Coordinates of all heavy atoms in Angstrom, one line a residue:
M305 N 51.5 97.8 213.9 CA 50.2 97.3 213.3 C 49.8 96.0 214.0 O 48.7 95.7 214.1 CB 50.5 97.1 211.8 CG 49.2 96.7 211.0 SD 48.0 98.0 211.0 CE 46.7 97.2 210.2
D306 N 50.8 95.2 214.4 CA 50.5 93.9 215.1 C 49.7 94.1 216.3 O 49.0 93.2 216.8 CB 51.8 93.2 215.4 CG 52.5 92.7 214.1 OD1 51.8 92.7 213.1 OD2 53.7 92.4 214.2
K307 N 49.8 95.3 216.9 CA 49.1 95.5 218.2 C 47.6 96.0 218.0 O 46.9 96.2 219.0 CB 49.9 96.6 219.0 CG 51.2 96.1 219.5 CD 52.0 97.1 220.2 CE 53.4 96.6 220.6 NZ 54.2 97.6 221.2
V308 N 47.3 96.3 216.8 CA 45.9 96.8 216.5 C 44.9 95.7 216.5 O 45.1 94.7 215.7 CB 45.9 97.6 215.2 CG1 44.5 98.1 214.9 CG2 46.8 98.8 215.3
S309 N 43.8 95.8 217.2 CA 42.8 94.8 217.2 C 42.0 94.8 215.9 O 41.7 95.9 215.4 CB 41.8 95.0 218.4 OG 40.7 94.1 218.2
L310 N 41.7 93.7 215.3 CA 41.0 93.7 214.1 C 39.5 94.0 214.2 O 38.9 94.3 213.2 CB 41.1 92.3 213.4 CG 42.5 91.9 212.8 CD1 42.5 90.5 212.3 CD2 42.8 92.9 211.7
G311 N 39.0 94.0 215.4 CA 37.6 94.3 215.6 C 36.6 93.5 214.8 O 36.7 92.2 214.8
A312 N 35.7 94.1 214.1 CA 34.7 93.4 213.4 C 35.0 93.1 211.9 O 34.2 92.8 211.1 CB 33.4 94.1 213.4
I313 N 36.2 93.1 211.6 CA 36.7 92.9 210.2 C 36.4 91.4 209.8 O 36.8 90.5 210.6 CB 38.1 93.3 210.0 CG1 38.3 94.8 210.1 CG2 38.6 92.8 208.6 CD1 39.7 95.2 210.1
I314 N 35.9 91.2 208.7 CA 35.7 89.8 208.2 C 36.9 89.4 207.4 O 37.2 89.9 206.4 CB 34.4 89.7 207.3 CG1 33.2 90.0 208.2 CG2 34.3 88.3 206.7 CD1 31.9 90.1 207.3
T315 N 37.7 88.5 208.0 CA 39.0 88.2 207.4 C 38.9 87.0 206.4 O 39.8 86.9 205.5 CB 40.0 87.8 208.5 OG1 39.4 86.7 209.3 CG2 40.3 89.0 209.4
D316 N 37.9 86.2 206.5 CA 37.7 85.2 205.5 C 36.2 84.8 205.4 O 35.5 85.0 206.3 CB 38.5 83.9 205.8 CG 38.3 83.4 207.2 OD1 38.4 84.2 208.2 OD2 37.9 82.3 207.4
G317 N 35.8 84.3 204.2 CA 34.4 84.0 204.0 C 33.9 82.9 204.9 O 34.7 82.0 205.3
G318 N 32.6 83.0 205.3 CA 32.0 82.0 206.1 C 32.5 81.9 207.5 O 32.4 80.8 208.1
N319 N 33.0 82.9 208.0 CA 33.6 82.9 209.4 C 32.6 83.3 210.5 O 33.0 83.4 211.6 CB 34.9 83.7 209.5 CG 34.6 85.2 209.4 OD1 33.5 85.6 209.1 ND2 35.7 86.0 209.7
S320 N 31.3 83.5 210.1 CA 30.4 84.0 211.1 C 30.2 83.0 212.3 O 29.9 83.4 213.4 CB 29.1 84.3 210.5 OG 28.5 83.1 210.0
K321 N 30.5 81.7 212.1 CA 30.3 80.7 213.1 C 31.4 80.9 214.2 O 31.3 80.4 215.3 CB 30.4 79.3 212.6 CG 29.2 78.9 211.8 CD 28.0 78.8 212.6 CE 26.8 78.3 211.8 NZ 25.5 78.4 212.6
K322 N 32.4 81.7 213.9 CA 33.4 82.0 215.0 C 33.0 83.0 215.9 O 33.6 83.3 217.0 CB 34.7 82.4 214.3 CG 35.4 81.4 213.4 CD 36.6 81.9 212.7 CE 37.2 80.9 211.7 NZ 38.3 81.5 210.9
N323 N 31.9 83.8 215.6 CA 31.4 84.9 216.4 C 30.0 84.6 216.8 O 29.1 84.4 215.9 CB 31.5 86.2 215.7 CG 32.9 86.5 215.1 OD1 33.8 86.6 215.9 ND2 33.0 86.5 213.8
K324 N 29.7 84.6 218.1 CA 28.3 84.4 218.5 C 27.5 85.7 218.3 O 27.3 86.5 219.2 CB 28.3 84.0 220.0 CG 28.9 82.6 220.1 CD 28.5 81.9 221.4 CE 29.0 80.4 221.4 NZ 28.6 79.7 222.6
T325 N 26.9 85.8 217.1 CA 26.2 87.0 216.7 C 24.9 87.2 217.5 O 24.4 88.3 217.6 CB 25.9 86.9 215.2 OG1 25.4 85.6 214.9 CG2 27.1 87.2 214.3
G326 N 24.4 86.1 218.1 CA 23.2 86.2 218.9 C 23.5 87.0 220.2 O 22.5 87.4 220.9
S327 N 24.7 87.1 220.6 CA 25.0 87.8 221.9 C 24.6 89.2 221.9 O 24.4 89.8 223.0 CB 26.5 87.6 222.2 OG 27.3 88.3 221.3
W328 N 24.5 89.9 220.8 CA 24.2 91.3 220.8 C 22.8 91.6 220.2 O 22.4 92.7 220.1 CB 25.2 92.1 220.1 CG 25.6 91.6 218.7 CD1 26.8 90.9 218.5 CD2 25.0 91.7 217.5 NE1 26.9 90.6 217.1 CE2 25.8 91.1 216.5 CE3 23.8 92.3 217.1 CZ2 25.4 91.0 215.2 CZ3 23.4 92.3 215.7 CH2 24.2 91.6 214.8
A329 N 22.0 90.5 219.9 CA 20.7 90.7 219.3 C 19.7 91.3 220.3 O 19.7 90.9 221.5 CB 20.2 89.4 218.8
T330 N 18.8 92.1 219.8 CA 17.8 92.7 220.7 C 16.5 92.0 220.4 O 15.5 92.1 221.1 CB 17.6 94.2 220.5 OG1 17.4 94.5 219.1 CG2 18.8 94.9 221.0
K331 N 16.4 91.3 219.2 CA 15.3 90.5 218.8 C 15.7 89.1 218.4 O 16.9 88.9 218.0 CB 14.6 91.2 217.6 CG 14.1 92.6 217.8 CD 13.6 93.2 216.5 CE 13.1 94.6 216.8 NZ 12.9 95.3 215.5
R332 N 14.8 88.2 218.4 CA 15.2 86.8 218.1 C 14.0 86.2 217.4 O 12.8 86.5 217.7 CB 15.6 86.1 219.3 CG 16.4 84.8 219.0 CD 17.3 84.4 220.2 NE 18.4 85.3 220.3 CZ 19.0 85.5 221.5 NH1 18.6 85.0 222.6 NH2 20.1 86.3 221.5
A333 N 14.2 85.2 216.5 CA 13.2 84.5 215.9 C 12.7 83.3 216.7 O 13.5 82.7 217.4 CB 13.7 84.0 214.5
F334 N 11.4 83.1 216.7 CA 10.7 82.0 217.4 C 9.8 81.3 216.5 O 9.0 81.9 215.8 CB 9.9 82.5 218.6 CG 9.2 81.4 219.3 CD1 9.8 80.5 220.1 CD2 7.8 81.3 219.1 CE1 9.1 79.5 220.7 CE2 7.1 80.2 219.6 CZ 7.7 79.4 220.5
I335 N 10.0 80.0 216.3 CA 9.2 79.2 215.4 C 8.1 78.4 216.1 O 8.3 77.7 217.1 CB 10.1 78.2 214.7 CG1 11.2 78.9 213.8 CG2 9.3 77.2 213.8 CD1 12.2 78.0 213.2
D336 N 6.9 78.7 215.7 CA 5.7 78.0 216.2 C 5.6 76.6 215.4 O 5.2 76.6 214.3 CB 4.5 78.8 216.0 CG 3.2 78.2 216.6 OD1 3.2 76.9 216.8 OD2 2.2 78.9 216.8
Q337 N 6.0 75.5 216.1 CA 6.0 74.2 215.5 C 4.6 73.8 215.0 O 4.5 73.0 214.0 CB 6.6 73.2 216.4 CG 8.0 73.5 216.9 CD 9.0 73.5 215.7 OE1 8.8 72.8 214.7 NE2 10.2 74.2 215.9
K338 N 3.6 74.3 215.6 CA 2.2 73.9 215.2 C 1.8 74.5 213.9 O 1.1 73.9 213.1 CB 1.2 74.2 216.3 CG 1.3 73.4 217.5 CD 0.3 73.8 218.6 CE 0.5 73.0 219.8 NZ -0.3 73.5 221.0
K339 N 2.4 75.7 213.6 CA 2.1 76.3 212.3 C 3.0 75.9 211.2 O 2.7 76.0 210.0 CB 2.2 77.9 212.5 CG 1.0 78.5 213.3 CD 1.2 80.0 213.2 CE 0.2 80.7 214.1 NZ 0.4 82.2 214.1
C340 N 4.2 75.5 211.6 CA 5.3 75.2 210.6 C 4.9 74.0 209.7 O 4.5 73.0 210.2 CB 6.6 74.9 211.4 SG 7.9 74.4 210.3
I341 N 5.1 74.2 208.4 CA 4.8 73.1 207.4 C 6.0 72.4 207.0 O 6.0 71.7 206.0 CB 4.0 73.7 206.2 CG1 4.8 74.8 205.5 CG2 2.6 74.2 206.7 CD1 4.2 75.2 204.2
K342 N 7.2 72.7 207.6 CA 8.5 72.0 207.4 C 9.0 72.1 205.9 O 9.5 71.2 205.3 CB 8.4 70.5 207.7 CG 7.5 70.1 208.9 CD 7.9 70.7 210.1 CE 7.0 70.3 211.3 NZ 7.2 71.1 212.5
C343 N 8.8 73.4 205.4 CA 9.2 73.6 204.0 C 10.7 73.9 203.9 O 11.3 73.9 202.8 CB 8.4 74.7 203.4 SG 8.7 76.4 204.1
H344 N 11.3 74.4 205.0 CA 12.7 74.7 205.1 C 13.1 75.9 204.3 O 14.3 76.1 204.1 CB 13.6 73.5 204.7 CG 13.3 72.3 205.6 ND1 13.8 71.0 205.3 CD2 12.6 72.2 206.8 CE1 13.4 70.2 206.3 NE2 12.7 70.9 207.2
T345 N 12.2 76.7 203.9 CA 12.5 78.0 203.3 C 13.3 78.9 204.2 O 14.3 79.5 203.7 CB 11.2 78.8 202.9 OG1 10.4 77.9 202.0 CG2 11.5 80.1 202.2
C346 N 13.0 78.9 205.4 CA 13.8 79.8 206.4 C 15.2 79.3 206.5 O 16.1 80.2 206.7 CB 13.1 79.7 207.8 SG 12.9 78.1 208.4
V347 N 15.5 78.0 206.4 CA 16.8 77.5 206.5 C 17.7 78.1 205.3 O 18.8 78.5 205.5 CB 16.8 76.0 206.4 CG1 18.2 75.4 206.4 CG2 16.0 75.4 207.6
L348 N 17.1 78.2 204.2 CA 17.8 78.7 203.0 C 18.0 80.2 203.1 O 19.1 80.6 202.6 CB 17.0 78.4 201.7 CG 16.7 76.9 201.4 CD1 15.8 76.8 200.2 CD2 18.0 76.2 201.1
F349 N 17.1 80.9 203.7 CA 17.3 82.4 203.7 C 18.0 83.0 204.8 O 18.5 84.1 204.7 CB 15.9 83.0 203.6 CG 15.3 83.1 202.2 CD1 14.5 82.1 201.7 CD2 15.6 84.3 201.5 CE1 14.0 82.2 200.4 CE2 15.1 84.4 200.2 CZ 14.3 83.3 199.6
C350 N 18.2 82.2 205.9 CA 18.9 82.8 207.1 C 20.3 83.1 206.8 O 21.1 82.2 206.4 CB 18.8 81.8 208.3 SG 19.8 82.4 209.7
P351 N 20.7 84.4 206.9 CA 22.1 84.8 206.5 C 23.1 84.3 207.5 O 24.3 84.3 207.2 CB 22.0 86.3 206.5 CG 20.9 86.7 207.4 CD 19.9 85.6 207.3
E352 N 22.7 83.9 208.7 CA 23.6 83.4 209.7 C 23.7 81.9 209.7 O 24.4 81.3 210.5 CB 23.3 83.9 211.1 CG 23.4 85.4 211.3 CD 24.9 85.8 211.0 OE1 25.8 85.1 211.4 OE2 25.1 87.0 210.5
D353 N 22.9 81.2 208.8 CA 22.9 79.8 208.8 C 22.6 79.2 210.2 O 23.2 78.2 210.6 CB 24.2 79.2 208.2 CG 24.1 77.7 207.9 OD1 23.0 77.2 207.7 OD2 25.2 77.1 207.9
C354 N 21.7 79.8 210.9 CA 21.4 79.4 212.3 C 20.1 78.8 212.5 O 19.6 78.6 213.6 CB 21.7 80.6 213.2 SG 20.5 81.9 213.2
I355 N 19.4 78.5 211.4 CA 18.1 77.7 211.5 C 18.5 76.3 211.1 O 18.9 76.0 210.0 CB 17.0 78.2 210.7 CG1 16.7 79.7 211.1 CG2 15.7 77.4 210.9 CD1 15.6 80.4 210.3
N356 N 18.4 75.4 212.1 CA 18.9 74.0 211.9 C 17.7 73.0 211.7 O 16.7 73.2 212.3 CB 19.7 73.6 213.1 CG 20.9 74.5 213.2 OD1 21.6 74.8 212.3 ND2 21.2 74.8 214.5
I357 N 17.9 72.1 210.8 CA 17.0 71.0 210.7 C 17.3 69.9 211.7 O 18.5 69.4 211.7 CB 17.0 70.4 209.2 CG1 16.7 71.5 208.2 CG2 16.0 69.3 209.1 CD1 16.9 71.1 206.8
K358 N 16.3 69.5 212.4 CA 16.6 68.5 213.5 C 16.8 67.1 212.9 O 16.6 66.9 211.6 CB 15.4 68.4 214.4 CG 15.3 69.7 215.3 CD 14.2 69.5 216.3 CE 14.0 70.7 217.2 NZ 12.9 70.5 218.2
E359 N 17.2 66.2 213.7 CA 17.6 64.8 213.2 C 16.5 64.1 212.5 O 16.7 63.2 211.7 CB 18.1 64.0 214.4 CG 19.5 64.3 214.8 CD 20.0 63.4 215.9 OE1 19.4 62.3 216.2 OE2 21.1 63.7 216.4
N360 N 15.2 64.5 212.8 CA 14.1 63.8 212.1 C 13.9 64.3 210.7 O 13.1 63.8 209.9 CB 12.8 64.0 212.9 CG 12.3 65.4 213.0 OD1 12.8 66.3 212.2 ND2 11.3 65.7 213.8
G361 N 14.8 65.2 210.3 CA 14.7 65.7 208.9 C 13.6 66.6 208.5 O 13.4 67.0 207.4
K362 N 12.8 67.0 209.5 CA 11.6 67.8 209.3 C 11.6 69.1 210.1 O 11.6 70.2 209.6 CB 10.3 67.0 209.6 CG 10.1 65.8 208.6 CD 8.9 65.0 209.0 CE 8.7 63.8 208.1 NZ 7.5 63.0 208.5
D363 N 11.6 68.9 211.4 CA 11.5 70.1 212.3 C 12.7 71.0 212.2 O 13.8 70.5 212.0 CB 11.3 69.6 213.8 CG 10.0 68.8 214.0 OD1 9.1 69.0 213.2 OD2 10.0 68.0 214.9
V364 N 12.4 72.3 212.4 CA 13.5 73.3 212.4 C 13.6 74.0 213.7 O 12.6 74.1 214.4 CB 13.3 74.3 211.3 CG1 13.5 73.6 209.9 CG2 12.0 74.9 211.3
E365 N 14.8 74.5 214.1 CA 14.9 75.2 215.3 C 16.0 76.3 215.1 O 16.9 76.2 214.3 CB 15.4 74.3 216.5 CG 16.7 73.6 216.3 CD 17.0 72.7 217.4 OE1 16.3 72.6 218.4 OE2 18.1 72.0 217.3
V366 N 15.8 77.4 215.8 CA 16.7 78.5 215.8 C 17.8 78.4 216.8 O 17.5 78.1 218.0 CB 16.0 79.9 216.0 CG1 16.9 81.0 216.0 CG2 14.9 80.1 214.9
D367 N 19.1 78.5 216.4 CA 20.2 78.5 217.3 C 20.4 79.9 217.9 O 20.9 80.8 217.2 CB 21.4 78.0 216.6 CG 22.6 77.9 217.6 OD1 22.6 78.4 218.7 OD2 23.6 77.1 217.2
A368 N 19.9 80.1 219.1 CA 19.9 81.5 219.7 C 21.3 82.1 219.8 O 21.5 83.3 219.9 CB 19.3 81.4 221.1
D369 N 22.3 81.2 219.8 CA 23.7 81.7 219.9 C 24.1 82.6 218.7 O 25.0 83.4 218.7 CB 24.7 80.6 220.1 CG 24.8 80.1 221.5 OD1 24.3 80.8 222.4 OD2 25.3 79.0 221.7
Y370 N 23.4 82.3 217.6 CA 23.8 82.9 216.3 C 22.7 83.8 215.7 O 23.0 84.5 214.7 CB 24.3 81.9 215.3 CG 25.6 81.2 215.8 CD1 25.5 80.0 216.5 CD2 26.8 81.8 215.8 CE1 26.6 79.3 217.0 CE2 27.9 81.2 216.3 CZ 27.8 79.9 216.9 OH 28.9 79.3 217.4
C371 N 21.5 83.7 216.1 CA 20.4 84.5 215.6 C 20.6 85.9 215.9 O 20.6 86.3 217.1 CB 19.0 84.0 216.1 SG 17.7 85.1 215.6
K372 N 20.8 86.8 214.9 CA 21.1 88.2 215.2 C 19.8 89.1 215.1 O 19.9 90.3 215.2 CB 22.1 88.7 214.2 CG 21.7 88.7 212.7 CD 22.8 89.1 211.8 CE 22.4 89.0 210.3 NZ 23.6 89.4 209.4
G373 N 18.7 88.4 214.9 CA 17.4 89.2 214.9 C 17.2 90.0 213.7 O 16.4 91.0 213.7
C374 N 17.7 89.6 212.5 CA 17.5 90.4 211.3 C 16.1 90.2 210.8 O 15.6 91.0 210.0 CB 18.5 89.9 210.2 SG 18.2 88.2 209.6
L375 N 15.4 89.1 211.1 CA 14.0 88.8 210.8 C 13.8 88.5 209.3 O 12.6 88.6 208.9 CB 13.1 90.0 211.3 CG 13.3 90.4 212.8 CD1 12.3 91.4 213.2 CD2 13.2 89.2 213.7
V376 N 14.8 88.2 208.6 CA 14.6 87.7 207.2 C 13.7 86.5 207.2 O 12.8 86.4 206.4 CB 16.0 87.4 206.6 CG1 15.8 86.7 205.3 CG2 16.8 88.7 206.4
C377 N 13.9 85.6 208.1 CA 13.1 84.4 208.1 C 11.6 84.7 208.4 O 10.7 84.0 207.8 CB 13.6 83.4 209.2 SG 13.7 84.1 210.9
V378 N 11.3 85.7 209.2 CA 10.0 86.1 209.5 C 9.3 86.5 208.2 O 8.1 86.1 208.0 CB 9.9 87.2 210.5 CG1 8.5 87.7 210.8 CG2 10.5 86.7 211.9
N379 N 10.0 87.2 207.4 CA 9.4 87.7 206.1 C 9.3 86.6 205.1 O 8.3 86.7 204.3 CB 10.3 88.8 205.5 CG 10.1 90.1 206.3 OD1 9.0 90.5 206.8 ND2 11.2 90.9 206.4
E380 N 10.1 85.6 205.1 CA 10.1 84.6 204.1 C 9.2 83.4 204.4 O 8.8 82.7 203.5 CB 11.6 84.1 203.9 CG 12.5 85.2 203.3 CD 12.1 85.7 202.0 OE1 11.4 85.0 201.2 OE2 12.4 86.9 201.7
C381 N 8.9 83.2 205.6 CA 8.1 82.0 206.0 C 6.7 82.1 205.3 O 6.0 83.1 205.5 CB 7.9 81.9 207.5 SG 6.8 80.5 208.0
P382 N 6.3 81.2 204.5 CA 5.1 81.3 203.7 C 3.8 81.2 204.6 O 2.7 81.5 204.1 CB 5.2 80.1 202.7 CG 6.0 79.1 203.4 CD 7.0 79.9 204.2
V383 N 3.9 80.6 205.8 CA 2.7 80.5 206.6 C 2.8 81.3 207.9 O 2.0 81.1 208.8 CB 2.5 79.0 206.9 CG1 2.1 78.2 205.7 CG2 3.7 78.4 207.7
K384 N 3.7 82.2 208.0 CA 3.9 83.1 209.1 C 4.0 82.3 210.4 O 3.3 82.6 211.4 CB 2.7 84.1 209.2 CG 2.5 84.9 208.0 CD 3.7 85.7 207.7 CE 3.6 86.5 206.4 NZ 4.9 87.0 205.8
A385 N 4.8 81.3 210.4 CA 5.0 80.5 211.6 C 6.2 81.0 212.5 O 6.4 80.5 213.6 CB 5.4 79.0 211.2
I386 N 6.9 82.0 212.0 CA 8.0 82.6 212.8 C 7.6 83.9 213.3 O 7.1 84.8 212.6 CB 9.2 82.7 211.9 CG1 9.5 81.4 211.2 CG2 10.4 83.1 212.8 CD1 10.7 81.4 210.3
S387 N 7.8 84.1 214.6 CA 7.4 85.4 215.2 C 8.7 86.0 215.9 O 9.8 85.3 215.9 CB 6.3 85.3 216.2 OG 6.7 84.3 217.2
V388 N 8.6 87.2 216.4 CA 9.7 87.9 216.9 C 9.6 87.9 218.5 O 8.6 88.2 219.0 CB 9.8 89.4 216.4 CG1 11.0 90.1 217.0 CG2 9.7 89.4 214.9
T389 N 10.7 87.6 219.1 CA 10.7 87.8 220.6 C 11.7 88.9 220.9 O 12.7 89.0 220.2 CB 11.1 86.5 221.3 OG1 12.4 86.1 220.9 CG2 10.2 85.4 221.1
I390 N 11.4 89.7 221.9 CA 12.3 90.8 222.3 C 13.2 90.3 223.4 O 12.7 89.7 224.4 CB 11.5 92.0 222.7 CG1 10.5 92.4 221.6 CG2 12.4 93.2 223.1 CD1 11.1 92.9 220.3
Q391 N 14.5 90.5 223.3 CA 15.5 90.2 224.3 C 15.6 91.3 225.3 O 15.7 92.5 224.9 CB 16.8 89.8 223.7 CG 16.8 88.8 222.6 CD 16.2 87.5 223.2 OE1 16.7 86.9 224.1 NE2 15.1 87.0 222.6
S392 N 15.7 91.0 226.6 CA 15.9 92.0 227.6 C 17.3 92.1 228.0 O 18.1 91.3 227.7 CB 15.0 91.8 228.8 OG 15.3 90.5 229.3
Ligands
SF4_1359 S1 9.8 78.7 206.5 FE1 8.2 78.6 208.1 S2 7.0 76.8 207.5 FE2 8.9 76.7 206.4 S3 10.2 75.4 207.8 FE3 10.6 77.6 208.2 S4 9.2 78.0 210.0 FE4 8.5 76.2 209.0
SF4_1360 S1 16.2 86.4 212.6 FE1 17.8 86.4 211.0 S2 19.5 85.5 212.0 FE2 17.7 84.9 213.2 S3 17.0 83.0 212.5 FE3 15.9 84.6 211.3 S4 17.0 84.9 209.5 FE4 18.4 83.8 210.9

């Protein structure tokens, strides 16, 4: 059993930061800063916790290393400031 790889098994809660989930994404979120009203709703809804609030406490950015392209944030943004980019 020791020789069997654990694969994609989640062994403990909140461990997604150990895996770069963005590496296999075919889509990714892109935030239009001109449309964004800095409400931070997307930060709360992102299941990967990969939308970060910048040091100024207002602007948000997507960490491409962890964005898996689920597009939850696109649906939740109240002003449609988030769009989808396709990864090649
Ligand atoms: S939910 Fe939309 S408007 Fe609110 S911070 Fe995120 S991108 Fe900006
Ligand atoms: S697409 Fe999904 S994983 Fe990527 S930033 Fe939006 S909610 Fe987070």
